[in-house]
Amino acid sequence: MAGLEHHKVAMDPAFVRWTNMQNNRYKYFRWTPRTGLLATIYIVVVPGIFAYVGWKWDGAYDFRAKRRGDLLVER
């Protein structure tokens, strides 16, 4: 059967501290100008860029029923 002694090797103290920091990060988070700017960029700017590119290129390429040598661009 499976033994009860799983950790025969000592845990690395630095890894344990890092794991605890990752698990408790929300307790020590503070809004600063930098975190506000990063949140704005990742919540508004990046999706906005993807939306604009998707809107701009919507329907530009048609992959249905294309054969080798056919153009992808419908003009």
Side-chain angles (χ1 to χ4, degrees):
M1 297 300 245
L4 297 176
E5 299 177 25
H6 295 295
H7 298 291
K8 293 184 179 182
V9 178
M11 294 292 289
D12 183 12
F15 180 71
V16 172
R17 281 194 310 270
W18 182 77
T19 304
N20 289 335
M21 181 198 64
Q22 291 292 333
N23 291 336
N24 296 319
R25 183 182 296 252
Y26 70 96
K27 295 178 184 176
Y28 305 106
F29 178 78
R30 267 187 249 163
W31 284 105
T32 62
R34 182 175 185 264
T35 56
L37 177 65
L38 288 174
T40 303
I41 288 172
Y42 287 123
I43 293 171
V44 176
V45 176
V46 173
I49 290 171
F50 280 111
Y52 175 75
V53 169
W55 173 74
K56 193 69 175 172
W57 288 356
D58 184 31
Y61 299 103
D62 184 21
F63 293 105
R64 179 178 286 197
K66 294 294 180 179
R67 295 183 180 180
R68 188 179 311 179
D70 290 346
L71 295 176
L72 292 176
V73 179
E74 297 291 329
R75 297 180 188 206

